[in-house]
């Protein structure tokens, strides 16, 4: 594992100018890839070319690691992610987080497209994650623990960093962008939930549901990174409206939120 991380790091760094070492990482969820258009002095590397990375198979996920600058800050952006439901192990799904940590990232912004379980949030809403419930039935830390990467039993009581989350909230207020907050329930997918599952999640205290994020956030916490989570609501949870859920709808709604999300991310990153 350590060797694999070093190989990926070496490959990536061979494509970057000397001393280019971003402290801020961003993961872009389904349909949210336009954020990279806001970056200056971009350098893109395809996942397919990086040792240990996998190309994505899902429409709306570009599959590129993009380096660039925003407001004088350097960032590394994952334009799309891979998911466990594509058949990948959680080690593969979360490998890019390990590599971001190795190249110096300390702050990670994790975004996703999500269904709303809470009647207060609708397609088009941005919701900051205050916590999550892992219902994927898995944990990416199962197996031998490498203490070089983090502790055997990492604390998850502040999985989403309160300080940086507050900064995000404050920035949203300044920009007059409505930003909710809620608990994200992570599921394995790829089928959407049944109405009964959505009702169960609401009883459990979840506000949002999606097929990513939780395992990435566990690894980021294990690695000691500060995490902020933002969900872009693309649909109401199954059974909450008469609509059927489709990936096309998720992509279409995510596409509309890109500009608002990009603005919020950049203005927050500028303050770090
Ligand atoms: N359920 C699970 N994942 C999702 C949803 C949903 O309703 N919308 C976007 N990703």
């Amino acid at each position: 594992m350590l060797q694999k991380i070093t190989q990926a790091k070496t490959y990536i760094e061979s494509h970057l100018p000397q001393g280019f070492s971003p402290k801020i990482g961003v993961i872009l969820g389904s349909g949210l890839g336009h954020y990279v258009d806001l970056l200056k002095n971009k350098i893109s590397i395809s996942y397919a070319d990086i040792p240990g990375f996998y190309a994505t198979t899902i429409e709306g996920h570009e599959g590129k690691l993009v380096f660039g600058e925003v407001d004088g800050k350097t960032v590394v952006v994952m334009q799309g992610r891979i998911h466990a439901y594509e058949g990948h192990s959680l080690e593969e799904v979360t490998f890019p987080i390990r590599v971001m940590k190795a190249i110096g990232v300390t702050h990670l912004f994790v975004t996703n497209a999500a269904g709303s379980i809470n009647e207060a949030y609708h397609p088009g809403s941005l919701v900051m994650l205050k916590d999550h419930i892992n219902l994927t039935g898995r944990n990416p830390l199962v197996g031998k623990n490498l203490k070089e990467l983090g502790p055997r039993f990492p604390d998850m009581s502040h999985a989403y960093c309160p300080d940086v989350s507050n900064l995000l909230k404050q920035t949203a207020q300044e920009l007059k962008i409505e930003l909710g907050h809620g608990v994200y329930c992570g599921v394995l997918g790829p089928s959407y939930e049944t109405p009964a599952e959505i009702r169960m999640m609401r009883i459990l205290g979840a506000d949002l549901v999606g097929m990513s994020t939780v395992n990435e956030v566990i690894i980021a916490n294990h690695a000691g990174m500060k995490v902020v989570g933002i969900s872009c609501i693309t649909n109401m949870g199954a059974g909450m409206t008469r609509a059927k859920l489709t990936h096309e709808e998720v992509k279409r709604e995510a596409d509309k939120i890109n500009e608002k999300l990009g603005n919020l991310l950049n203005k927050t990153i500028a303050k770090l």
Side-chain angles (χ1 to χ4, degrees):
M1 179 64 164
L2 297 177
Q3 210 175 348
K4 265 177 61 185
I5 295 170
T6 307
Q7 267 174 3
K9 172 176 166 12
T10 308
Y11 179 85
I12 291 165
E13 287 180 345
S14 73
H15 287 72
L16 301 177
Q18 275 269 295
F20 196 93
S21 170
K23 300 267 177 293
I24 297 155
V26 180
I27 306 179
L28 300 175
S30 282
L32 301 170
H34 295 309
Y35 172 67
V36 302
D37 299 342
L38 303 175
L39 303 184
K40 303 213 174 66
N41 301 324
K42 256 182 293 190
I43 298 168
S44 296
I45 311 173
S46 287
Y47 292 164
D49 295 334
I50 306 173
F53 278 52
Y54 289 84
T56 68
T57 62
I58 307 302
E59 253 185 76
H61 288 262
E62 203 59 42
K64 286 188 187 141
L65 196 61
V66 184
F67 292 80
E69 291 172 6
V70 279
D71 278 307
K73 295 268 179 359
T74 52
V75 296
V76 50
V77 180
M78 284 178 65
Q79 197 184 19
R81 53 159 66 90
I82 60 166
H83 307 79
Y85 64 70
E86 292 172 76
H88 292 288
S89 69
L90 291 185
E91 188 178 309
E92 290 164 355
V93 169
T94 58
F95 184 67
I97 319 277
R98 293 292 189 202
V99 175
M100 281 200 264
K101 167 76 183 183
I103 61 178
V105 170
T106 54
H107 291 67
L108 186 64
F109 290 79
V110 183
T111 73
N112 57 53
S116 177
I117 299 174
N118 182 332
E119 296 280 2
Y121 302 135
H122 295 274
S125 299
L126 283 180
V127 182
M128 180 175 85
L129 307 194
K130 59 178 189 200
D131 207 345
H132 76 219
I133 298 172
N134 179 5
L135 283 193
T136 66
R138 303 190 187 177
N139 189 300
L141 295 172
V142 169
K144 188 175 179 323
N145 186 60
L146 295 173
K147 59 180 184 312
E148 295 87 338
L149 298 181
R152 171 75 288 187
F153 301 109
D155 178 39
M156 290 292 285
S157 40
H158 298 290
Y160 299 85
C161 173
D163 291 344
V164 191
S165 296
N166 268 335
L167 197 64
L168 184 83
K169 197 168 140 190
Q170 196 188 317
T171 311
Q173 277 162 0
E174 284 161 20
L175 295 173
K176 301 198 172 14
I177 290 175
E178 237 180 87
L179 180 68
H181 59 273
V183 173
Y184 177 93
C185 184
V187 294
L188 181 59
S191 54
Y192 288 112
E193 299 67 43
T194 62
E197 287 165 347
I198 292 293
R199 289 195 298 274
M200 173 193 77
M201 289 172 193
R202 188 179 300 122
I203 292 167
L204 292 181
D207 301 286
L208 322 155
V209 58
M211 303 173 194
S212 66
T213 302
V214 291
N215 289 302
E216 294 161 352
V217 171
I218 290 171
I219 291 297
N221 274 270
H222 184 244
M225 296 159 114
K226 291 187 192 302
V227 177
V228 175
I230 310 169
S231 283
C232 300
I233 304 298
T234 54
N235 57 279
M236 299 310 285
M240 292 176 69
T241 66
R242 291 154 69 100
K244 279 194 169 183
L245 304 188
T246 66
H247 186 54
E248 280 59 45
E249 183 201 357
V250 168
K251 274 189 304 174
R252 199 171 44 243
E253 288 298 328
D255 205 43
K256 294 189 206 158
I257 312 178
N258 264 287
E259 197 180 327
K260 198 162 67 166
L261 175 69
N263 205 3
L264 177 60
L265 276 174
N266 278 358
K267 294 286 186 313
T268 307
I269 289 170
K271 290 182 185 166
L272 282 173

